[in-house]
Amino acid sequence: MRTETDKKNITIALMVAMFLAAVEGTVVTTAISTIAKDLNGFENISFVFSAYLLMSAISTPIYGKLADLYGRKNMISIGIGIFLVGSTLCGFSQNMTMLIVFRALQGLGAGAIFTLTYTIVGDVFTLEERPKIQGSLGTMWGVASLVGPFVGGTFIDLLSWHWIFFINLPFGILSIFLIQRNLKENFEKKKQIIDYAGIVTLSAAMLVFFNIFLSAEVMNFSKLFIGISVAGTIFLLVVFYRIEKKAAEPIIPPDILTRTSNLVNIISFLVSAVMIGVDVYIPIYIQNVLGLSATVSGFALVSMSVSWLIASVILGKMIITRGGKIVTILSTAILLIGILLMTTMEIDTSYFLVIAYVAIAGFGFGGAMTTLTILIQEAVGYRKRGAATATNSLLKTLGQTIGICIFGSVFNLEIIQYFNQIGKWGVNPNDLYGSAAQTGAISGEQIVHSLNNSVNSLFLIITVIVGVALGLALLLPRMKGALKTESDDDKTDNIKRELL
């Protein structure tokens, strides 16, 4: 029997772990422009994020199964340890290739944090306690969004970008210490049925699919190579589907893929792709086009975080009175307005206008993400809710991974095209602040205009993506269903509520 003190300490440990993973994303987005300058790696900015996100996506379902075999406490501690090793190596990176590889290692550890924190909550806390604890974990994303950009910008301005990775060490060590000391498991090792074939096949499919975008960067859009990658991905997904239909404990049960959940998952995928685009390229615009500091660019993302939290509260309550479909449509429409405004940004746009645009988009993000999470959980029965939520989380991560790859390709191509149009042939995006600028081949003004042109083109594409998401939101059905909850003593209650 766990005491209240034990539960309090476990909560603190999980909140520290979640903050560790959440703050990393906001800090790096603020610092990426400075890092790319220092390592001459503008062309590979997207891979710094996609490597992290991809490995996190692949490892998420695997950690859940390993935790059943070896215990939650041990697996989350190992995951945090891997994350800290990756962070330390990122801090010592001397070129973009090293940084990308070590970010992948970081992501491998982050998968445990994203998965097992909520699993531990389910193990330790009663049904009545879980909403409050999960809400506390959720606030860590908001706190990280507020603190991360400021800390990242300050470290860059006062120290160096290397410290944004080293700062993870004390938080991670504290989290491991608290988890090991306070989480007591009566864990009985027993033989588990693990869907190894599904894990391997799904991981292979994601890797092959990711390779489509990698080939676009490295192999000059080789149609043959991309075609083979697409065919390979489709084949592996078909194999994965057949495996899951026969598996005793499938990673993704096929019967959770209903019309409603499929629509919600696709919208989540698209909105997540848009979110990573805003997170990465707004700081680049503010620092490299407007010429402001990393700290100042961080405050722009803070505005998005504040409006996100406000929307989560206001629009979250509207789900009960207006229904999830209406709230999803409203949130996506607000997001569309914010992105459309971003397409008007120029080299002389007021910084305060940019903050306003980002805040509007943040309100849309907050409402959409909160509502979509609730809808995906309510679209299936109680016993399948965990699998449905995990699938939705996986698609969000893939949306960010694929999105940043596409946006990176567009960004680089637009830079090259701009210089070609003004008669500056052979300019490499990696060399904007390197030899090309130092030798006078291109001017600082031309660099600013090329980056502004690329950001504008990018947000036009993002506008189309949000438009598609809004169209899909209009297709969400109105329906009613029952939420079946189960208490710890296995007594069940049926709660009737309007779902959509």
Side-chain angles (χ1 to χ4, degrees):
M1 184 73 177
R2 293 184 176 87
T3 66
E4 289 302 316
T5 301
D6 289 336
K7 290 184 177 182
K8 181 179 179 180
N9 290 334
I10 291 170
T11 301
I12 293 172
L14 296 179
M15 290 175 70
V16 172
M18 187 62 76
F19 177 79
L20 177 72
V23 78
E24 183 63 19
T26 56
V27 169
V28 174
T29 54
T30 304
I32 190 60
S33 179
T34 301
I35 296 173
K37 277 186 181 180
D38 189 39
L39 300 180
N40 291 324
F42 262 92
E43 189 177 38
N44 296 317
I45 281 177
S46 61
F47 293 120
V48 174
F49 297 94
S50 57
Y52 177 88
L53 293 169
L54 179 69
M55 293 309 296
S56 173
I58 291 174
S59 62
T60 294
I62 299 174
Y63 277 116
K65 291 296 183 179
L66 291 178
D68 289 335
L69 277 177
Y70 304 107
R72 293 22 168 159
K73 180 167 70 173
N74 291 333
M75 290 314 303
I76 194 170
S77 297
I78 290 172
I80 295 172
I82 294 172
F83 183 90
L84 294 181
V85 171
S87 295
T88 303
L89 293 173
C90 283
F92 286 115
S93 297
Q94 299 300 307
N95 54 59
M96 287 295 277
T97 300
M98 292 176 65
L99 181 62
I100 291 167
V101 171
F102 297 145
R103 281 281 287 173
L105 183 62
Q106 241 190 337
L108 187 63
I113 300 173
F114 296 146
T115 305
L116 300 184
T117 47
Y118 290 103
T119 304
I120 292 171
V121 170
D123 293 341
V124 174
F125 299 93
T126 65
L127 183 63
E128 292 75 19
E129 294 170 328
R130 289 172 201 165
K132 180 182 177 181
I133 303 303
Q134 290 179 353
S136 298
L137 291 178
T139 60
M140 288 297 97
W141 289 94
V143 172
S145 297
L146 292 169
V147 174
F150 175 75
V151 171
T154 301
F155 273 25
I156 291 169
D157 292 340
L158 299 181
L159 297 171
S160 73
W161 64 263
H162 303 276
W163 283 93
I164 69 170
F165 296 107
F166 297 147
I167 193 60
N168 292 328
L169 291 174
F171 289 104
I173 292 171
L174 174 62
S175 181
I176 292 174
F177 172 76
L178 292 173
I179 289 171
Q180 289 292 323
R181 182 173 181 177
N182 296 290
L183 182 58
K184 300 175 178 64
E185 289 184 311
N186 296 319
F187 185 75
E188 178 184 354
K189 291 186 178 180
K190 57 183 180 179
K191 186 176 181 180
Q192 301 283 346
I193 302 175
I194 300 178
D195 185 15
Y196 290 111
I199 290 172
V200 172
T201 309
L202 180 61
S203 299
M206 286 190 288
L207 284 170
V208 172
F209 189 62
F210 175 71
N211 200 44
I212 297 171
F213 305 97
L214 181 63
S215 67
E217 292 280 353
V218 178
M219 302 183 67
N220 297 320
F221 293 95
S222 167
K223 293 182 180 179
L224 176 61
F225 196 88
I226 293 175
I228 293 174
S229 296
V230 171
T233 302
I234 295 173
F235 172 76
L236 288 169
L237 288 176
V238 170
V239 173
F240 173 72
Y241 178 76
R242 295 176 67 87
I243 290 172
E244 297 303 276
K245 288 187 69 175
K246 298 179 180 179
E249 295 183 8
I251 301 172
I252 302 177
D255 58 351
I256 69 173
L257 302 178
T258 63
R259 178 176 181 267
T260 299
S261 65
N262 287 340
L263 282 171
V264 172
N265 282 331
I266 295 172
I267 297 170
S268 299
F269 175 92
L270 296 174
V271 173
S272 296
V274 171
M275 183 173 63
I276 193 67
V278 173
D279 281 346
V280 172
Y281 289 99
I282 284 295
I284 289 176
Y285 167 78
I286 293 173
Q287 293 176 50
N288 297 87
V289 177
L290 298 185
L292 301 175
S293 69
T295 303
V296 173
S297 73
F299 281 114
L301 294 183
V302 168
S303 72
M304 183 172 75
S305 303
V306 172
S307 62
W308 180 305
L309 293 175
I310 293 172
S312 298
V313 175
I314 296 176
L315 297 182
K317 292 180 180 179
M318 283 183 61
I319 296 175
I320 299 173
T321 58
R322 298 293 182 181
K325 176 178 181 177
I326 298 299
V327 176
T328 303
I329 293 171
L330 177 62
S331 301
T332 312
I334 293 172
L335 175 59
L336 181 60
I337 293 171
I339 300 298
L340 276 171
L341 290 171
M342 291 180 192
T343 63
T344 67
M345 297 186 304
E346 297 293 340
I347 59 175
D348 57 353
T349 298
S350 167
Y351 170 69
F352 296 103
L353 275 180
V354 176
I355 289 179
Y357 300 163
V358 173
I360 293 171
F363 195 91
F365 281 130
M369 286 300 194
T370 300
T371 308
L372 290 169
T373 300
I374 293 173
L375 292 183
I376 199 65
Q377 292 174 341
E378 301 305 312
V380 297
Y382 175 80
R383 296 183 183 277
K384 296 292 177 67
R385 195 167 299 134
T389 305
T391 302
N392 182 254
S393 177
L394 175 62
L395 284 168
K396 287 177 181 177
T397 304
L398 285 176
Q400 294 183 58
T401 306
I402 295 168
I404 196 60
C405 288
I406 294 175
F407 300 152
S409 297
V410 171
F411 188 74
N412 292 331
L413 287 172
E414 288 296 326
I415 290 175
I416 294 171
Q417 185 176 350
Y418 172 83
F419 282 108
N420 288 345
Q421 288 175 346
I422 63 173
K424 303 285 185 178
W425 301 93
V427 175
N428 189 317
N430 279 341
D431 206 26
L432 287 183
Y433 296 94
S435 59
Q438 293 168 5
T439 60
I442 56 177
S443 67
E445 183 180 0
Q446 290 170 338
I447 293 173
V448 169
H449 280 283
S450 71
L451 292 172
N452 183 74
N453 179 73
S454 298
V455 169
N456 283 340
S457 298
L458 192 62
F459 279 109
L460 283 173
I461 293 174
I462 292 176
T463 299
V464 174
I465 295 174
V466 180
V468 173
L470 178 58
L472 292 174
L474 293 170
L475 297 178
L476 284 170
R478 288 180 175 273
M479 57 179 287
K480 289 186 177 182
L483 171 62
K484 188 176 182 181
T485 61
E486 188 172 19
S487 63
D488 290 341
D489 61 358
D490 293 325
K491 293 178 181 180
T492 58
D493 297 313
N494 291 326
I495 303 174
K496 299 290 184 179
R497 64 175 62 179
E498 183 173 329
L499 296 181
L500 295 172

